[in-house]
Amino acid sequence: MKHVLFVLVALFCLLMAGCAPREVRYVVGVSQCSDDEWREQMNKEIRREALFYPGVKIDIRTAKDNNAQQIADIESLIGEGVDLLIVSPNEADAITPVIEKAYNKGIPVVLVDRKIRSDKYTAYVGADNYEIGRQVGSYIAERLQGKGNLVEVAGLKASTSALERHRGLMDALRETPDIKLIASADAAWLRVPAEKAFGDILSKFPDIDMVFAHNDRMAAGAYDAAVKQHREHDMLFVGIDALAGEGYGVEQVANRQLDATFIYPTGGDKVMEVAMNILQGRDYTRETVLSTALVNKANARIMQMQTAHIGQLDNKIEVLDKQLDTYLMRYSSQRMLLYACIVILVLVAMLLFFVVRAFWTKNRLNAELSDQKKRLEEQRDQLISLSKQLEEATHAKLAFFTNVSHDFRTPLTLIAAPVNQLAESNKLGENERFLLNIIQKNVTVLLRLINQILDFRKFENGKLSMTLSRFDISENIKDWTDAFRTLSYRKHIHFTVLVEPSEEGYVMIADAEKMERITYNLLSNAFKFTPENGTIEIKLSQFTKEGERWLRYQVSDTGIGMPAEHVKHIFESFYQIDVHHAGSGIGLALVKAFVEMHGGTIAVDSGEGRGTVFTLEMPVQQNGVPEENVEKNIVLTNLKEGAVLSADQETIQTAPEVVERDDKETVLIIDDNQDVRDYVKSLLHDKYTVIEASNGQEGLQQAMKYVPDAVICDVMMPVMDGMECCRRLKSEVQTSHIPVMMLTAYTMDEQKVKGYECGADSYILKPFSARLLQVRLRNLIDNRLRLQSFFADKTSLRKEPIADLDKGFVEKLRALIDEQLSNSELSVEDLGDKIGMSRVQLYRKSKALTGYSPNELLRIARLKKAASLLASTEKTIAEITYEVGFSSPSYFTKCYKDYFGESPTDFLKRKG
């Protein structure tokens, strides 16, 4: 019986032992001054770190910003006999006595975040508030560029953290006296008081450049106050804490509510580590200063991703700990049942097995999570490096595609030009002409894509420039949109162009070619994503901004629209919504680049199922082109060429055949591609004697031997390239007069400049049309002869022969100039009105027939009249100046010397 009783007692003891909770070795009391999100994060970190120390109990009290409550909490923890105190003081002066009391009783005290007015504490863990205030001050000085008005929204002014942050700020700003701290308010670390306090400041100070709040909550409150008064865009907001999570500092920076925030680390895990080192008698650092860092728009998104990942790992740790507790509780129940049933030895064995396994599992998981945390920190450092490598790789790929695109131009020449010739044939059947139209259309699309890649490359390299001209966009828009009319009929889309009435008209100074490209890209997108029976509209209007006229250009459609998450990315390079929205990904990026080059902005409003509206706004007149010189930029016209050519189009205005010849002129073709030589020869052999060369050196020899009337030369060739060949041709007396036309696949302006510096008379970009080549060649030869005729006799306005069809125009223009010679107010518009042409039409007609603009013709006529008066009368230079229509003697003297090679005074001396 005694043995049975002993067994029962033993079983009872074992059962009680099995039901007993885990042994508590240390009790750590935590007194927090507040219950804000920053301290909630610290509390989570303390509890999580405590999981790594078995037998530790955490008791957290929150004073909610009340000194009396915090003193009572600490007194209660002292009375309960805690082994260690962790305290974040509300206000230093009020809390110092009770902390000294605990310290004197032998209880270790670890201060967190804030200090007291005494050195009676065991350790301190937290950021250097003075240093973070100084860093904020340095950032403000840099952001405001040393000048501006600053408002400070402080925490409790009696707390050491608020005092030190303010002191650090002021010390940093001493180096920039032009930054004025115009107001400061105590908001007690809270959002609502900060909103009220800053609202009062806003009503008193109309000029505020930046607001510095001691934490992100107060920064958000100040921002709310600015929003209510519609002044949020007038100033920048800077906070401290940089907590991750919805509505916290990092998200506020990412959403552009805050300009920046500074990481103020919670350090709960470090606090617990220091506390356990103290309790377990290990070495520890008395003053542990946590590092801080700037968070701005450049790294806010990365911070969000990293903290989200770390948060997931933290949640996993908590889940695992709960699972382990569940396992232990389940084990206790099982042990109690087994003790109550039978087999104590099996129960003990099982108990040992579960305990050991749980212990090993927990240690292994903790080790793995610790390793993952370290790897995440390493990955964070690698992200910047990886992003740079990605950028370099992107540029390398773009350079590769640019070079490949250049190589496409030569075969495109050999496709496009023969196709165009075939299309002009009258012998084609309906099916053959249909197939040729398909080829023509796709060659045009391919060329446009190549040009977009090349333009994008130039934009990336900062070499994309503008060619400004004066044009009426309301008229041009009709031509630009004609190509889409057929598509609109085929898809049954209602396509309209609406121009709001304007007294000033829609004449603007801009890059017409880039405006056309903008129109094409936006309309291509609209037609691509608008279903049948939809609507697409272009709308032009004007408005005034800062005293200047601006153009508003809208392209709207009723297509499928875009989700909000994609809208903010559509202007990024190579961005595509999904595989169903195919494209190169650079069209809209180029549109944005073109608009910004004009000093304008582009915005998009879109939503799924409600269509898309692109809105462009830009100045009507671009800076950098004087008003009186705009006419020279209308087209790229040169005395060496009689054809007026748009930069990237094949719009041809041919000058008439001005010289009649009985024999054929000789043309030298220099190109390393046999197909190109054969093709160009096939175009020219009926009207010209054609000779060939396969490289620059051979071409130079042929030119010296035959002295041709013109040279057509490729740029890229072996042995001697086209640039060197052209330079050599222009430097030799025998060949210097020969006009040289360069063929190139490269659209870079730098190469054209080099070519013209070498003496090239004209450039044609591959692929080119047969008609373009023939007309430009004819004009080069004719203009050379016309210039010879013109400069052979300067005494007359023009001697070269001209087609009968245009004699009436030239005679009328000359008669008008002679009639109005003394009228200094005579303008090109006046001449155009009398002849019945617009300014642009008159300019192009005059330039094509005579080689001179109307202004130049008028100036030459006045100079020749003045020369006649100087030679035949005794009038003074001033009298002759005004008689022939010049506005000032100094300008007359300059023009006279430029034309005749000597000043009027020199002529009178020579005469006299």
Side-chain angles (χ1 to χ4, degrees), residues 24 26-31 42-51 53 55-61 77 82 84 86 272 275-276 279:
V24 176
Y26 302 109
V27 177
V28 177
V30 181
S31 174
M42 182 194 294
N43 293 340
K44 286 182 181 179
E45 293 171 356
I46 290 174
R47 290 191 180 99
R48 186 177 62 244
E49 190 68 18
L51 298 176
Y53 301 94
V56 175
K57 178 183 177 183
I58 305 297
D59 186 359
I60 299 178
R61 312 283 179 90
L77 291 171
V82 296
L84 183 141
I86 298 174
M272 197 63 201
M276 293 310 299
L279 289 173

PDB file of all heavy atoms in Angstrom, residues 24 26-31 42-51 53 55-61 77 82 84 86 272 275-276 279:
ATOM      1  N   VAL A  24       9.893  31.491 -14.831  1.00  0.00           N
ATOM      2  CA  VAL A  24      10.237  32.885 -15.098  1.00  0.00           C
ATOM      3  C   VAL A  24      11.502  33.222 -14.318  1.00  0.00           C
ATOM      4  O   VAL A  24      11.517  33.189 -13.090  1.00  0.00           O
ATOM      5  CB  VAL A  24       9.091  33.832 -14.686  1.00  0.00           C
ATOM      6  CG1 VAL A  24       9.504  35.276 -14.888  1.00  0.00           C
ATOM      7  CG2 VAL A  24       7.832  33.520 -15.490  1.00  0.00           C
ATOM      8  N   TYR A  26      13.586  36.170 -15.230  1.00  0.00           N
ATOM      9  CA  TYR A  26      13.754  37.623 -15.166  1.00  0.00           C
ATOM     10  C   TYR A  26      12.437  38.305 -15.527  1.00  0.00           C
ATOM     11  O   TYR A  26      11.732  37.873 -16.429  1.00  0.00           O
ATOM     12  CB  TYR A  26      14.825  38.108 -16.149  1.00  0.00           C
ATOM     13  CG  TYR A  26      16.195  37.502 -15.958  1.00  0.00           C
ATOM     14  CD1 TYR A  26      16.692  36.587 -16.867  1.00  0.00           C
ATOM     15  CD2 TYR A  26      16.976  37.865 -14.866  1.00  0.00           C
ATOM     16  CE1 TYR A  26      17.948  36.020 -16.696  1.00  0.00           C
ATOM     17  CE2 TYR A  26      18.230  37.310 -14.694  1.00  0.00           C
ATOM     18  CZ  TYR A  26      18.716  36.388 -15.609  1.00  0.00           C
ATOM     19  OH  TYR A  26      19.956  35.836 -15.442  1.00  0.00           O
ATOM     20  N   VAL A  27      12.147  39.364 -14.777  1.00  0.00           N
ATOM     21  CA  VAL A  27      11.004  40.222 -15.091  1.00  0.00           C
ATOM     22  C   VAL A  27      11.557  41.591 -15.490  1.00  0.00           C
ATOM     23  O   VAL A  27      12.252  42.232 -14.701  1.00  0.00           O
ATOM     24  CB  VAL A  27      10.035  40.362 -13.908  1.00  0.00           C
ATOM     25  CG1 VAL A  27       8.901  41.331 -14.266  1.00  0.00           C
ATOM     26  CG2 VAL A  27       9.487  39.018 -13.494  1.00  0.00           C
ATOM     27  N   VAL A  28      11.233  41.997 -16.719  1.00  0.00           N
ATOM     28  CA  VAL A  28      11.710  43.283 -17.239  1.00  0.00           C
ATOM     29  C   VAL A  28      10.513  44.215 -17.367  1.00  0.00           C
ATOM     30  O   VAL A  28       9.554  43.917 -18.091  1.00  0.00           O
ATOM     31  CB  VAL A  28      12.400  43.112 -18.605  1.00  0.00           C
ATOM     32  CG1 VAL A  28      12.811  44.478 -19.165  1.00  0.00           C
ATOM     33  CG2 VAL A  28      13.616  42.201 -18.476  1.00  0.00           C
ATOM     34  N   GLY A  29      10.545  45.326 -16.637  1.00  0.00           N
ATOM     35  CA  GLY A  29       9.471  46.313 -16.716  1.00  0.00           C
ATOM     36  C   GLY A  29       9.805  47.391 -17.738  1.00  0.00           C
ATOM     37  O   GLY A  29      10.932  47.892 -17.773  1.00  0.00           O
ATOM     38  N   VAL A  30       8.808  47.735 -18.554  1.00  0.00           N
ATOM     39  CA  VAL A  30       8.994  48.747 -19.592  1.00  0.00           C
ATOM     40  C   VAL A  30       8.000  49.869 -19.364  1.00  0.00           C
ATOM     41  O   VAL A  30       6.789  49.629 -19.301  1.00  0.00           O
ATOM     42  CB  VAL A  30       8.798  48.157 -20.994  1.00  0.00           C
ATOM     43  CG1 VAL A  30       9.013  49.234 -22.057  1.00  0.00           C
ATOM     44  CG2 VAL A  30       9.744  46.988 -21.232  1.00  0.00           C
ATOM     45  N   SER A  31       8.513  51.109 -19.233  1.00  0.00           N
ATOM     46  CA  SER A  31       7.652  52.279 -19.054  1.00  0.00           C
ATOM     47  C   SER A  31       7.810  53.193 -20.257  1.00  0.00           C
ATOM     48  O   SER A  31       8.837  53.842 -20.419  1.00  0.00           O
ATOM     49  CB  SER A  31       8.025  53.028 -17.767  1.00  0.00           C
ATOM     50  OG  SER A  31       7.282  54.226 -17.668  1.00  0.00           O
ATOM     51  N   MET A  42       8.587  49.809 -31.307  1.00  0.00           N
ATOM     52  CA  MET A  42       9.643  49.454 -30.361  1.00  0.00           C
ATOM     53  C   MET A  42       9.179  48.326 -29.440  1.00  0.00           C
ATOM     54  O   MET A  42       9.935  47.372 -29.165  1.00  0.00           O
ATOM     55  CB  MET A  42      10.053  50.681 -29.517  1.00  0.00           C
ATOM     56  CG  MET A  42      11.184  50.383 -28.535  1.00  0.00           C
ATOM     57  SD  MET A  42      11.398  51.664 -27.290  1.00  0.00           S
ATOM     58  CE  MET A  42      11.929  53.009 -28.321  1.00  0.00           C
ATOM     59  N   ASN A  43       7.929  48.411 -28.961  1.00  0.00           N
ATOM     60  CA  ASN A  43       7.405  47.367 -28.074  1.00  0.00           C
ATOM     61  C   ASN A  43       7.379  46.008 -28.776  1.00  0.00           C
ATOM     62  O   ASN A  43       7.701  44.975 -28.174  1.00  0.00           O
ATOM     63  CB  ASN A  43       6.008  47.738 -27.586  1.00  0.00           C
ATOM     64  CG  ASN A  43       6.026  48.962 -26.679  1.00  0.00           C
ATOM     65  OD1 ASN A  43       7.064  49.314 -26.112  1.00  0.00           O
ATOM     66  ND2 ASN A  43       4.884  49.613 -26.520  1.00  0.00           N
ATOM     67  N   LYS A  44       6.983  46.014 -30.072  1.00  0.00           N
ATOM     68  CA  LYS A  44       6.989  44.760 -30.818  1.00  0.00           C
ATOM     69  C   LYS A  44       8.393  44.175 -30.894  1.00  0.00           C
ATOM     70  O   LYS A  44       8.592  42.967 -30.739  1.00  0.00           O
ATOM     71  CB  LYS A  44       6.463  44.994 -32.233  1.00  0.00           C
ATOM     72  CG  LYS A  44       4.974  45.215 -32.330  1.00  0.00           C
ATOM     73  CD  LYS A  44       4.570  45.391 -33.790  1.00  0.00           C
ATOM     74  CE  LYS A  44       3.073  45.640 -33.911  1.00  0.00           C
ATOM     75  NZ  LYS A  44       2.681  45.835 -35.336  1.00  0.00           N
ATOM     76  N   GLU A  45       9.363  45.045 -31.140  1.00  0.00           N
ATOM     77  CA  GLU A  45      10.743  44.560 -31.250  1.00  0.00           C
ATOM     78  C   GLU A  45      11.255  44.024 -29.914  1.00  0.00           C
ATOM     79  O   GLU A  45      11.980  43.024 -29.878  1.00  0.00           O
ATOM     80  CB  GLU A  45      11.641  45.693 -31.758  1.00  0.00           C
ATOM     81  CG  GLU A  45      11.332  46.115 -33.185  1.00  0.00           C
ATOM     82  CD  GLU A  45      12.054  47.374 -33.618  1.00  0.00           C
ATOM     83  OE1 GLU A  45      12.742  47.977 -32.773  1.00  0.00           O
ATOM     84  OE2 GLU A  45      11.932  47.760 -34.784  1.00  0.00           O
ATOM     85  N   ILE A  46      10.881  44.658 -28.803  1.00  0.00           N
ATOM     86  CA  ILE A  46      11.302  44.179 -27.479  1.00  0.00           C
ATOM     87  C   ILE A  46      10.713  42.800 -27.209  1.00  0.00           C
ATOM     88  O   ILE A  46      11.420  41.879 -26.764  1.00  0.00           O
ATOM     89  CB  ILE A  46      10.873  45.189 -26.389  1.00  0.00           C
ATOM     90  CG1 ILE A  46      11.699  46.482 -26.499  1.00  0.00           C
ATOM     91  CG2 ILE A  46      11.025  44.576 -24.998  1.00  0.00           C
ATOM     92  CD1 ILE A  46      11.250  47.581 -25.565  1.00  0.00           C
ATOM     93  N   ARG A  47       9.408  42.652 -27.484  1.00  0.00           N
ATOM     94  CA  ARG A  47       8.769  41.353 -27.240  1.00  0.00           C
ATOM     95  C   ARG A  47       9.367  40.272 -28.144  1.00  0.00           C
ATOM     96  O   ARG A  47       9.609  39.142 -27.707  1.00  0.00           O
ATOM     97  CB  ARG A  47       7.267  41.456 -27.492  1.00  0.00           C
ATOM     98  CG  ARG A  47       6.513  42.273 -26.456  1.00  0.00           C
ATOM     99  CD  ARG A  47       5.002  42.090 -26.626  1.00  0.00           C
ATOM    100  NE  ARG A  47       4.248  42.850 -25.648  1.00  0.00           N
ATOM    101  CZ  ARG A  47       3.697  44.033 -25.900  1.00  0.00           C
ATOM    102  NH1 ARG A  47       3.845  44.590 -27.087  1.00  0.00           N
ATOM    103  NH2 ARG A  47       3.025  44.663 -24.953  1.00  0.00           N
ATOM    104  N   ARG A  48       9.599  40.652 -29.426  1.00  0.00           N
ATOM    105  CA  ARG A  48      10.144  39.655 -30.332  1.00  0.00           C
ATOM    106  C   ARG A  48      11.547  39.227 -29.919  1.00  0.00           C
ATOM    107  O   ARG A  48      11.889  38.041 -29.944  1.00  0.00           O
ATOM    108  CB  ARG A  48      10.178  40.212 -31.758  1.00  0.00           C
ATOM    109  CG  ARG A  48      10.603  39.184 -32.789  1.00  0.00           C
ATOM    110  CD  ARG A  48      10.568  39.732 -34.198  1.00  0.00           C
ATOM    111  NE  ARG A  48      11.485  40.837 -34.374  1.00  0.00           N
ATOM    112  CZ  ARG A  48      11.131  42.074 -34.658  1.00  0.00           C
ATOM    113  NH1 ARG A  48       9.866  42.364 -34.824  1.00  0.00           N
ATOM    114  NH2 ARG A  48      12.025  43.029 -34.791  1.00  0.00           N
ATOM    115  N   GLU A  49      12.383  40.183 -29.516  1.00  0.00           N
ATOM    116  CA  GLU A  49      13.746  39.840 -29.103  1.00  0.00           C
ATOM    117  C   GLU A  49      13.742  39.017 -27.828  1.00  0.00           C
ATOM    118  O   GLU A  49      14.613  38.164 -27.620  1.00  0.00           O
ATOM    119  CB  GLU A  49      14.554  41.133 -28.908  1.00  0.00           C
ATOM    120  CG  GLU A  49      16.040  40.939 -28.714  1.00  0.00           C
ATOM    121  CD  GLU A  49      16.730  40.418 -29.962  1.00  0.00           C
ATOM    122  OE1 GLU A  49      16.146  40.531 -31.069  1.00  0.00           O
ATOM    123  OE2 GLU A  49      17.863  39.881 -29.824  1.00  0.00           O
ATOM    124  N   ALA A  50      12.750  39.249 -26.950  1.00  0.00           N
ATOM    125  CA  ALA A  50      12.667  38.497 -25.700  1.00  0.00           C
ATOM    126  C   ALA A  50      12.413  37.013 -25.951  1.00  0.00           C
ATOM    127  O   ALA A  50      12.722  36.173 -25.098  1.00  0.00           O
ATOM    128  CB  ALA A  50      11.564  39.079 -24.814  1.00  0.00           C
ATOM    129  N   LEU A  51      11.840  36.698 -27.134  1.00  0.00           N
ATOM    130  CA  LEU A  51      11.589  35.293 -27.455  1.00  0.00           C
ATOM    131  C   LEU A  51      12.879  34.494 -27.549  1.00  0.00           C
ATOM    132  O   LEU A  51      12.867  33.266 -27.401  1.00  0.00           O
ATOM    133  CB  LEU A  51      10.832  35.188 -28.791  1.00  0.00           C
ATOM    134  CG  LEU A  51       9.436  35.841 -28.841  1.00  0.00           C
ATOM    135  CD1 LEU A  51       8.864  35.736 -30.248  1.00  0.00           C
ATOM    136  CD2 LEU A  51       8.499  35.189 -27.837  1.00  0.00           C
ATOM    137  N   TYR A  53      15.264  34.720 -25.474  1.00  0.00           N
ATOM    138  CA  TYR A  53      15.813  34.531 -24.118  1.00  0.00           C
ATOM    139  C   TYR A  53      14.759  33.821 -23.266  1.00  0.00           C
ATOM    140  O   TYR A  53      13.853  34.465 -22.722  1.00  0.00           O
ATOM    141  CB  TYR A  53      16.172  35.886 -23.488  1.00  0.00           C
ATOM    142  CG  TYR A  53      17.191  36.662 -24.285  1.00  0.00           C
ATOM    143  CD1 TYR A  53      16.778  37.603 -25.223  1.00  0.00           C
ATOM    144  CD2 TYR A  53      18.541  36.446 -24.111  1.00  0.00           C
ATOM    145  CE1 TYR A  53      17.696  38.322 -25.964  1.00  0.00           C
ATOM    146  CE2 TYR A  53      19.478  37.165 -24.843  1.00  0.00           C
ATOM    147  CZ  TYR A  53      19.052  38.092 -25.772  1.00  0.00           C
ATOM    148  OH  TYR A  53      19.972  38.789 -26.497  1.00  0.00           O
ATOM    149  N   GLY A  55      12.615  32.270 -20.345  1.00  0.00           N
ATOM    150  CA  GLY A  55      12.490  32.642 -18.941  1.00  0.00           C
ATOM    151  C   GLY A  55      12.405  34.132 -18.708  1.00  0.00           C
ATOM    152  O   GLY A  55      12.536  34.585 -17.565  1.00  0.00           O
ATOM    153  N   VAL A  56      12.195  34.934 -19.739  1.00  0.00           N
ATOM    154  CA  VAL A  56      12.103  36.392 -19.574  1.00  0.00           C
ATOM    155  C   VAL A  56      10.645  36.813 -19.742  1.00  0.00           C
ATOM    156  O   VAL A  56       9.991  36.457 -20.716  1.00  0.00           O
ATOM    157  CB  VAL A  56      12.983  37.118 -20.606  1.00  0.00           C
ATOM    158  CG1 VAL A  56      12.779  38.630 -20.498  1.00  0.00           C
ATOM    159  CG2 VAL A  56      14.445  36.768 -20.386  1.00  0.00           C
ATOM    160  N   LYS A  57      10.156  37.593 -18.774  1.00  0.00           N
ATOM    161  CA  LYS A  57       8.809  38.132 -18.832  1.00  0.00           C
ATOM    162  C   LYS A  57       8.883  39.647 -19.045  1.00  0.00           C
ATOM    163  O   LYS A  57       9.640  40.341 -18.371  1.00  0.00           O
ATOM    164  CB  LYS A  57       8.057  37.827 -17.533  1.00  0.00           C
ATOM    165  CG  LYS A  57       6.640  38.415 -17.498  1.00  0.00           C
ATOM    166  CD  LYS A  57       5.973  38.147 -16.166  1.00  0.00           C
ATOM    167  CE  LYS A  57       4.592  38.802 -16.102  1.00  0.00           C
ATOM    168  NZ  LYS A  57       3.947  38.609 -14.792  1.00  0.00           N
ATOM    169  N   ILE A  58       8.096  40.133 -19.993  1.00  0.00           N
ATOM    170  CA  ILE A  58       8.075  41.565 -20.311  1.00  0.00           C
ATOM    171  C   ILE A  58       6.766  42.163 -19.820  1.00  0.00           C
ATOM    172  O   ILE A  58       5.684  41.686 -20.152  1.00  0.00           O
ATOM    173  CB  ILE A  58       8.226  41.803 -21.817  1.00  0.00           C
ATOM    174  CG1 ILE A  58       9.485  41.133 -22.366  1.00  0.00           C
ATOM    175  CG2 ILE A  58       8.248  43.292 -22.140  1.00  0.00           C
ATOM    176  CD1 ILE A  58      10.758  41.662 -21.792  1.00  0.00           C
ATOM    177  N   ASP A  59       6.855  43.235 -19.019  1.00  0.00           N
ATOM    178  CA  ASP A  59       5.682  43.948 -18.494  1.00  0.00           C
ATOM    179  C   ASP A  59       5.751  45.394 -19.000  1.00  0.00           C
ATOM    180  O   ASP A  59       6.586  46.183 -18.546  1.00  0.00           O
ATOM    181  CB  ASP A  59       5.682  43.901 -16.970  1.00  0.00           C
ATOM    182  CG  ASP A  59       4.394  44.495 -16.391  1.00  0.00           C
ATOM    183  OD1 ASP A  59       3.541  44.946 -17.181  1.00  0.00           O
ATOM    184  OD2 ASP A  59       4.264  44.528 -15.163  1.00  0.00           O
ATOM    185  N   ILE A  60       4.882  45.741 -19.969  1.00  0.00           N
ATOM    186  CA  ILE A  60       4.944  47.068 -20.601  1.00  0.00           C
ATOM    187  C   ILE A  60       3.811  47.941 -20.081  1.00  0.00           C
ATOM    188  O   ILE A  60       2.650  47.534 -20.085  1.00  0.00           O
ATOM    189  CB  ILE A  60       4.875  46.942 -22.128  1.00  0.00           C
ATOM    190  CG1 ILE A  60       6.059  46.133 -22.650  1.00  0.00           C
ATOM    191  CG2 ILE A  60       4.854  48.318 -22.794  1.00  0.00           C
ATOM    192  CD1 ILE A  60       6.045  45.921 -24.153  1.00  0.00           C
ATOM    193  N   ARG A  61       4.157  49.150 -19.632  1.00  0.00           N
ATOM    194  CA  ARG A  61       3.176  50.160 -19.186  1.00  0.00           C
ATOM    195  C   ARG A  61       3.306  51.394 -20.089  1.00  0.00           C
ATOM    196  O   ARG A  61       4.408  51.769 -20.484  1.00  0.00           O
ATOM    197  CB  ARG A  61       3.436  50.563 -17.739  1.00  0.00           C
ATOM    198  CG  ARG A  61       3.650  49.397 -16.771  1.00  0.00           C
ATOM    199  CD  ARG A  61       2.359  48.718 -16.398  1.00  0.00           C
ATOM    200  NE  ARG A  61       2.594  47.590 -15.499  1.00  0.00           N
ATOM    201  CZ  ARG A  61       2.612  47.694 -14.164  1.00  0.00           C
ATOM    202  NH1 ARG A  61       2.432  48.867 -13.566  1.00  0.00           N
ATOM    203  NH2 ARG A  61       2.817  46.597 -13.430  1.00  0.00           N
ATOM    204  N   LEU A  77       6.153  49.272 -10.754  1.00  0.00           N
ATOM    205  CA  LEU A  77       7.124  48.265 -11.203  1.00  0.00           C
ATOM    206  C   LEU A  77       8.207  48.047 -10.159  1.00  0.00           C
ATOM    207  O   LEU A  77       8.664  46.915  -9.936  1.00  0.00           O
ATOM    208  CB  LEU A  77       7.748  48.694 -12.544  1.00  0.00           C
ATOM    209  CG  LEU A  77       6.813  48.683 -13.760  1.00  0.00           C
ATOM    210  CD1 LEU A  77       7.476  49.336 -14.966  1.00  0.00           C
ATOM    211  CD2 LEU A  77       6.395  47.259 -14.093  1.00  0.00           C
ATOM    212  N   VAL A  82      10.699  44.188 -10.084  1.00  0.00           N
ATOM    213  CA  VAL A  82      11.236  43.838 -11.400  1.00  0.00           C
ATOM    214  C   VAL A  82      12.752  43.750 -11.331  1.00  0.00           C
ATOM    215  O   VAL A  82      13.403  44.385 -10.493  1.00  0.00           O
ATOM    216  CB  VAL A  82      10.819  44.875 -12.471  1.00  0.00           C
ATOM    217  CG1 VAL A  82       9.318  44.880 -12.652  1.00  0.00           C
ATOM    218  CG2 VAL A  82      11.304  46.269 -12.119  1.00  0.00           C
ATOM    219  N   LEU A  84      14.784  44.510 -13.937  1.00  0.00           N
ATOM    220  CA  LEU A  84      15.404  45.591 -14.725  1.00  0.00           C
ATOM    221  C   LEU A  84      14.300  46.498 -15.249  1.00  0.00           C
ATOM    222  O   LEU A  84      13.202  46.038 -15.573  1.00  0.00           O
ATOM    223  CB  LEU A  84      16.207  44.997 -15.888  1.00  0.00           C
ATOM    224  CG  LEU A  84      16.974  45.980 -16.779  1.00  0.00           C
ATOM    225  CD1 LEU A  84      18.342  45.393 -17.164  1.00  0.00           C
ATOM    226  CD2 LEU A  84      16.191  46.293 -18.053  1.00  0.00           C
ATOM    227  N   ILE A  86      13.211  49.399 -18.165  1.00  0.00           N
ATOM    228  CA  ILE A  86      13.461  50.092 -19.435  1.00  0.00           C
ATOM    229  C   ILE A  86      12.509  51.275 -19.474  1.00  0.00           C
ATOM    230  O   ILE A  86      11.297  51.100 -19.408  1.00  0.00           O
ATOM    231  CB  ILE A  86      13.218  49.170 -20.633  1.00  0.00           C
ATOM    232  CG1 ILE A  86      14.183  47.987 -20.604  1.00  0.00           C
ATOM    233  CG2 ILE A  86      13.363  49.931 -21.948  1.00  0.00           C
ATOM    234  CD1 ILE A  86      13.911  46.947 -21.671  1.00  0.00           C
ATOM    235  N   MET A 272      16.725  45.296 -25.850  1.00  0.00           N
ATOM    236  CA  MET A 272      16.602  44.008 -25.156  1.00  0.00           C
ATOM    237  C   MET A 272      17.951  43.303 -25.047  1.00  0.00           C
ATOM    238  O   MET A 272      18.257  42.660 -24.037  1.00  0.00           O
ATOM    239  CB  MET A 272      15.592  43.133 -25.921  1.00  0.00           C
ATOM    240  CG  MET A 272      15.078  41.970 -25.088  1.00  0.00           C
ATOM    241  SD  MET A 272      14.177  42.561 -23.639  1.00  0.00           S
ATOM    242  CE  MET A 272      14.276  41.084 -22.609  1.00  0.00           C
ATOM    243  N   ALA A 275      19.792  44.966 -22.258  1.00  0.00           N
ATOM    244  CA  ALA A 275      19.181  44.594 -20.981  1.00  0.00           C
ATOM    245  C   ALA A 275      19.612  43.190 -20.540  1.00  0.00           C
ATOM    246  O   ALA A 275      19.957  42.963 -19.370  1.00  0.00           O
ATOM    247  CB  ALA A 275      17.661  44.684 -21.093  1.00  0.00           C
ATOM    248  N   MET A 276      19.630  42.241 -21.478  1.00  0.00           N
ATOM    249  CA  MET A 276      20.001  40.869 -21.118  1.00  0.00           C
ATOM    250  C   MET A 276      21.495  40.750 -20.812  1.00  0.00           C
ATOM    251  O   MET A 276      21.903  39.953 -19.965  1.00  0.00           O
ATOM    252  CB  MET A 276      19.610  39.915 -22.251  1.00  0.00           C
ATOM    253  CG  MET A 276      18.102  39.783 -22.448  1.00  0.00           C
ATOM    254  SD  MET A 276      17.206  39.433 -20.915  1.00  0.00           S
ATOM    255  CE  MET A 276      17.935  37.859 -20.431  1.00  0.00           C
ATOM    256  N   LEU A 279      21.637  41.831 -17.226  1.00  0.00           N
ATOM    257  CA  LEU A 279      21.081  40.831 -16.304  1.00  0.00           C
ATOM    258  C   LEU A 279      21.956  39.590 -16.209  1.00  0.00           C
ATOM    259  O   LEU A 279      22.064  38.969 -15.132  1.00  0.00           O
ATOM    260  CB  LEU A 279      19.668  40.431 -16.754  1.00  0.00           C
ATOM    261  CG  LEU A 279      18.583  41.513 -16.571  1.00  0.00           C
ATOM    262  CD1 LEU A 279      17.278  41.062 -17.214  1.00  0.00           C
ATOM    263  CD2 LEU A 279      18.357  41.808 -15.087  1.00  0.00           C
TER     264      LEU A 279
END
